[in-house]
Amino acid sequence: MNPVLPLVVLVPLLVVAGVVCIGWTWSAVSRVAGFGGRAILILRVLAVLLVALLLLNPGRWEKEVEGVGEFWAILFDGSDSMAEENRREDAAQVLREVEKGCENGLRYWSYRGSAEELSEGWEGLEPGGEGSDFIGAVEQVLENSAARGQPLGGLLVVGDGRQTVSDEGREAVVARAKNLGIPVHVVAVGGEVERAEVKVRSKRPSVLAFASQKLKVSSIVNFDHLPPARVRVVLETSEGVELAGLELELEGDGEEEVVFEVEAPEESTVWRWRVVAGGVLAREPDADLFEVRVLEGRTRVFLAEGAPYWDSKFLAQHLRLQEGIELNSVHRLSAERWFRIDTGEEDEEFSGAEGEPVFPDGNLGRYDLVVFGKNVASFLTKARVEELNLYVREQGGAVLFSRGRAFGGRESPLESLEPVVWDAGGVEELKFRPTAEGEAVGLFGVGLPGRESGLWDQLPPLKDGNAVAEVKSFTRVLAEGEASGLSGGRVPLLLVRRYGQGVCGLVNGDGLWRWDFYPEAKEDGNLYAEFWTQLVQWMASWSEFLPGQDFSLRTSARRVQAGEEVAGWISWRGEGGMPEPRLVARAPDGREVFVTPARLEGAGERPRWRATVKLGEPGWWELEVVGVEGDLPTSGVLVERLPREEDELSADPYALERFAEATGGRRWGFEEGVELREMIFAQREEKSLEAGVFWKSLFREWWVACLLVVLLGGEWWLRRRSGLI
């Protein structure tokens, strides 16, 4: 029961009201003779009891529900690519079959860049628009259904699977559909469209160079479905001034590498690769941009050699002659005899028993690279070893072991800096072979020949390679030594390893100096000089800090699509009070976006900051550290435009299929329209929206009202007949 008043109040009231009512009735009918008086009293008592019962409000609690018929949403691809082949006709075949007999249970949307509800149906929709986004369209339909309170039984996407915007929201849309219990079924139409295409892409997004030096830059030209054609590959400045050009005869599918040797500019700039196809293509391919970063200051190198040989002499002489390198070198001839020779000096400076040349104690931070030869233990004290570790780990320095194992004993004082764990023994001759990883990091295949070049077979082998027991973690093997004495086995020959903010490198062998005298190699330039110049520059750039800079800037990506975010990490190795750097991103049109980076806690002894910035406009963006003094780093990011519909017209059915399966749906063939319609009919059930609970009172039963009318009406009729009214 659910009484209209509390029982402690209602029961006494009912008793009093019942006694008064019955007593008044008894006094009125006592004058009526016969059965009529008793009948009136009985009817009055029954009516009073019925009213009392209704005031006690008997009944039951029930859930309130509202029946709403579910519907299926049809998403129809209306983008330009649907005009290819017979895609629209195949899609129409499916839709006409599905909608037979269930038009009232279907709602139609089209999607291009976004979803649009079709009030007039899909028949009059013509392909158009500059892109397609079926993932975003599914999300819009789900939101629209929830906002209207209309339950979806399922969702059918009919299209070619082209997704011309980022699919980063895919997982969230899939999760939402699964949580709502709405499977997404798909019908994929269309196939591959073969179009003649040529694309050019720089092998490296950034190239380091010294001003006016000879610089090698490289690109890859990809071509597909190309008829016999002559195309021209052009290297030019951002203003369109041609620096070099080459004509290629291309046909079919494949790729070609194009390498130009040009003079480096006086200051950092942006160059671009461009392909001129001369009407062979429907449209000219996009240009590709890359930066040429000119090192304004010299790379400062300290070289320590404990057992001078041709390798160390040739290396010191080569580095001294480089305009972009400042060298200080110290060589130990015997226990009491040393000599030093620096950049700009013609004669060697000897010292005798009175003392060794000065090691840069407490001043290693002024050098960008420290080079060790062999037997250098006499240079090092415990304090100097600790300083070297700090120099690499915290100051972003670089150490290069140029002649393999730098110490003759079993234990090395610089073991923490060496990229390998040494084993006993060695290998007399090693053929130099670059690795795929050496090409991936940009050392080989651009400034130096790639691993497929036959030049490496012509070079004399290296001597006295050391056996390696283990390559340490975070080490990259850039070249291997092919050892004929080990049944064709390979030994790590050129290795680099990240160590804190710096880098350590190792050349595991002697004999590189002989490359300078090999006639066949001379035909392709001085490979010995090129090898050391490229290696020194590459190591200096691969370290956290560029030469002469106390701040570093690293970005999460060098190529992104318009609208994506890029993270930048700033490090500092200077002295004095804590700086407060800022990051500025300069757009292609000159607009500047300033960001205040956040200090990273627990990042080590040296401070680090992190900032993120969204890059919208396509083109070359320049990120630079500002707000502090000194030579400040920059980093370029190429922002590529979003894909356009006409860039690729081939269908992508597997993108639709993967999306459907993730939501619990499946992919249907365009010839399976009947089976698809039957599945939709089988799954269409009326869904109920629960609106709460309510008390279903006895008042709501029709017979209760009828009984009360009969009792009161009967009493009134008897009273009238007995003359009481």
Side-chain angles (χ1 to χ4, degrees):
M1 291 188 179
N2 188 24
V4 296
L5 292 173
L7 289 176
V8 293
V9 176
L10 183 61
V11 171
L13 288 177
L14 289 176
V15 172
V16 172
V19 170
V20 171
C21 184
I22 293 173
W24 176 77
T25 303
W26 173 257
S27 64
V29 301
S30 60
R31 300 188 302 270
V32 179
F35 180 75
R38 292 192 298 272
I40 293 173
L41 181 61
I42 293 172
L43 291 175
R44 174 61 63 89
V45 171
L46 291 175
V48 169
L49 290 176
L50 182 57
V51 171
L53 183 63
L54 293 177
L55 290 175
L56 290 172
N57 197 17
R60 64 183 181 275
W61 290 102
E62 291 189 355
K63 293 182 179 180
E64 184 177 11
V65 296
E66 179 184 356
V68 181
E70 70 176 8
F71 68 94
W72 272 66
I74 308 294
L75 264 172
F76 180 70
D77 189 349
S79 63
D80 267 340
S81 59
M82 289 294 286
E84 293 293 318
E85 307 167 294
N86 296 317
R87 295 180 189 179
R88 194 178 185 284
E89 289 73 15
D90 292 340
Q93 175 183 332
V94 176
L95 294 178
R96 291 192 183 102
E97 194 64 53
V98 167
E99 64 187 9
K100 287 180 181 178
C102 62
E103 293 86 347
N104 295 331
L106 302 178
R107 304 281 176 82
Y108 294 96
W109 277 264
S110 72
Y111 71 90
R112 292 163 179 167
S114 59
E116 177 184 0
E117 190 167 4
L118 301 175
S119 58
E120 302 297 330
W122 57 270
E123 290 282 2
L125 183 67
E126 294 296 330
E130 297 182 353
S132 54
D133 177 15
F134 72 84
I135 295 175
V138 170
E139 183 177 25
Q140 283 183 258
V141 172
L142 294 178
E143 290 180 352
N144 182 278
S145 171
R148 294 182 179 181
Q150 298 171 330
L152 274 175
L155 200 155
L156 175 65
V157 179
V158 182
D160 57 21
R162 298 279 299 118
Q163 178 78 10
T164 61
V165 301
S166 173
D167 63 350
E168 60 181 355
R170 176 182 182 276
E171 298 301 325
V173 178
V174 167
R176 183 170 187 176
K178 291 178 69 174
N179 290 337
L180 294 172
I182 300 174
V184 178
H185 295 268
V186 299
V187 175
V189 296
E192 183 178 359
V193 177
E194 295 185 353
R195 296 192 309 174
E197 290 186 325
V198 180
K199 299 178 181 178
V200 62
R201 193 179 183 101
S202 177
K203 288 193 70 173
R204 297 173 65 185
S206 181
V207 178
L208 282 179
F210 293 106
S212 301
Q213 81 168 106
K214 287 298 183 181
L215 176 66
K216 287 184 178 179
V217 293
S218 177
S219 68
I220 298 296
V221 179
N222 295 98
F223 51 97
D224 299 301
H225 314 300
L226 196 67
R230 173 174 293 183
V231 301
R232 179 173 172 80
V233 182
V234 176
L235 174 66
E236 61 187 19
T237 68
S238 57
E239 292 80 18
V241 178
E242 183 173 323
L243 301 172
L246 177 68
E247 288 192 347
L248 298 175
E249 299 284 347
L250 305 178
E251 182 180 0
D253 304 333
E255 67 176 33
E256 290 282 346
E257 182 178 3
V258 176
V259 181
F260 291 135
E261 184 172 354
V262 294
E263 186 175 292
E266 294 294 327
E267 57 185 19
S268 298
T269 187
V270 176
W271 287 351
R272 66 188 177 204
W273 293 95
R274 192 165 56 86
V275 171
V276 182
V280 177
L281 309 177
R283 60 181 182 84
E284 293 295 321
D286 294 334
D288 192 57
L289 305 176
F290 69 100
E291 68 176 343
V292 181
R293 191 163 299 284
V294 177
L295 300 176
E296 298 180 0
R298 288 185 169 189
T299 301
R300 298 159 300 187
V301 180
F302 176 77
L303 186 151
E305 176 59 74
Y309 188 60
W310 291 110
D311 275 285
S312 55
K313 291 182 179 180
F314 270 67
L315 177 57
Q317 182 180 8
H318 169 69
L319 295 179
R320 281 195 306 115
L321 297 177
Q322 302 306 305
E323 292 185 5
I325 295 177
E326 178 184 325
L327 175 70
N328 299 124
S329 61
V330 180
H331 304 255
R332 181 177 183 269
L333 301 179
S334 65
E336 299 179 347
R337 188 165 176 80
W338 310 72
F339 77 85
R340 65 177 295 164
I341 183 167
D342 300 331
T343 294
E345 296 180 359
E346 296 291 337
D347 299 323
E348 301 165 346
E349 177 186 340
F350 288 87
S351 67
E354 66 275 7
E356 63 178 271
V358 177
F359 191 88
D361 291 327
N363 198 27
L364 272 178
R366 73 175 296 269
Y367 291 101
D368 302 301
L369 176 65
V370 175
V371 180
F372 286 118
K374 285 187 176 296
N375 299 340
V376 298
S378 57
F379 286 91
L380 300 175
T381 63
K382 184 177 180 180
R384 288 173 179 171
V385 170
E386 292 178 356
E387 185 182 358
L388 274 165
N389 275 277
L390 182 65
Y391 161 74
V392 178
R393 186 179 65 249
E394 299 295 340
Q395 297 180 359
V399 169
L400 174 62
F401 300 95
S402 64
R403 297 177 60 198
R405 196 168 187 171
F407 300 90
R410 297 189 59 172
E411 294 186 1
S412 168
L414 292 179
E415 185 273 335
S416 60
L417 298 179
E418 293 174 321
V420 300
V421 176
W422 297 110
D423 200 356
V427 184
E428 290 188 359
E429 291 192 348
L430 295 166
K431 268 290 188 182
F432 194 96
R433 303 289 185 192
T435 64
E437 197 161 25
E439 288 187 342
V441 300
L443 180 60
F444 297 100
V446 183
L448 295 172
R451 59 194 176 110
E452 301 298 332
S453 173
L455 181 61
W456 303 110
D457 290 322
Q458 304 175 30
L459 296 174
L462 272 65
K463 299 286 187 179
D464 302 327
N466 298 103
V468 173
E470 178 187 347
V471 175
K472 294 181 180 178
S473 57
F474 306 111
T475 298
R476 295 191 173 192
V477 180
L478 309 185
E480 294 177 326
E482 193 174 87
S484 56
L486 294 177
S487 302
R490 292 180 180 267
V491 176
L493 193 55
L494 177 60
L495 309 94
V496 291
R497 176 177 179 246
R498 289 275 192 199
Y499 183 59
Q501 293 182 334
V503 60
C504 301
L506 168 67
V507 179
N508 184 18
D510 272 339
L512 277 169
W513 64 274
R514 294 190 297 164
W515 290 5
D516 201 23
F517 291 93
Y518 202 62
E520 286 81 354
K522 284 282 190 179
E523 295 177 3
D524 294 315
N526 191 335
L527 188 61
Y528 173 84
E530 283 294 319
F531 175 82
W532 283 113
T533 299
Q534 294 292 331
L535 181 60
V536 168
Q537 288 183 7
W538 183 85
M539 283 196 64
S541 66
W542 210 55
S543 178
E544 184 82 7
F545 298 86
L546 287 177
Q549 295 181 347
D550 289 334
F551 284 90
S552 71
L553 174 61
R554 299 284 176 177
T555 57
S556 57
R558 303 303 296 270
R559 289 176 180 267
V560 297
Q561 285 192 337
E564 292 184 2
E565 285 190 341
V566 171
W569 289 270
I570 302 171
S571 300
W572 181 58
R573 62 177 177 181
E575 303 294 337
M578 183 66 66
E580 296 182 0
R582 298 185 70 195
L583 186 67
V584 60
R586 296 188 179 89
D589 61 2
R591 177 174 52 90
E592 294 184 338
V593 179
F594 289 88
V595 181
T596 300
R599 172 78 185 276
L600 298 178
E601 301 295 336
E605 297 181 21
R606 294 287 172 175
R608 290 170 64 87
W609 297 264
R610 183 180 186 273
T612 58
V613 59
K614 180 176 287 188
L615 309 181
E617 179 184 347
W620 190 263
W621 286 69
E622 192 80 17
L623 275 62
E624 182 180 3
V625 176
V626 295
V628 287
E629 296 181 353
D631 184 12
L632 300 176
T634 63
S635 181
V637 178
L638 177 60
V639 178
E640 300 175 326
R641 62 170 176 77
L642 293 173
R644 295 175 298 197
E645 188 76 6
E646 64 267 21
D647 288 345
E648 174 59 71
L649 296 177
S650 295
D652 189 0
Y654 299 107
L656 284 174
E657 183 175 4
R658 291 192 300 270
F659 184 80
E661 291 176 350
T663 65
R666 56 161 286 193
R667 173 185 170 187
W668 299 78
F670 71 87
E671 71 283 353
E672 295 181 286
V674 175
E675 294 85 348
L676 180 57
R677 184 186 67 208
E678 292 175 352
M679 185 272 297
I680 293 176
F681 269 120
Q683 291 190 2
R684 285 189 63 202
E685 299 175 352
E686 184 175 277
K687 290 189 175 181
S688 296
L689 298 180
E690 188 173 307
V693 294
F694 70 99
W695 179 258
K696 187 175 182 180
S697 175
L698 200 60
F699 277 118
R700 301 181 64 175
E701 300 295 338
W702 64 270
W703 58 268
V704 175
C706 292
L707 179 59
L708 184 60
V709 169
V710 168
L711 292 175
L712 295 177
E715 180 196 357
W716 178 85
W717 182 77
L718 289 174
R719 286 170 63 86
R720 182 178 180 84
R721 184 171 182 178
S722 301
L724 297 178
I725 299 177

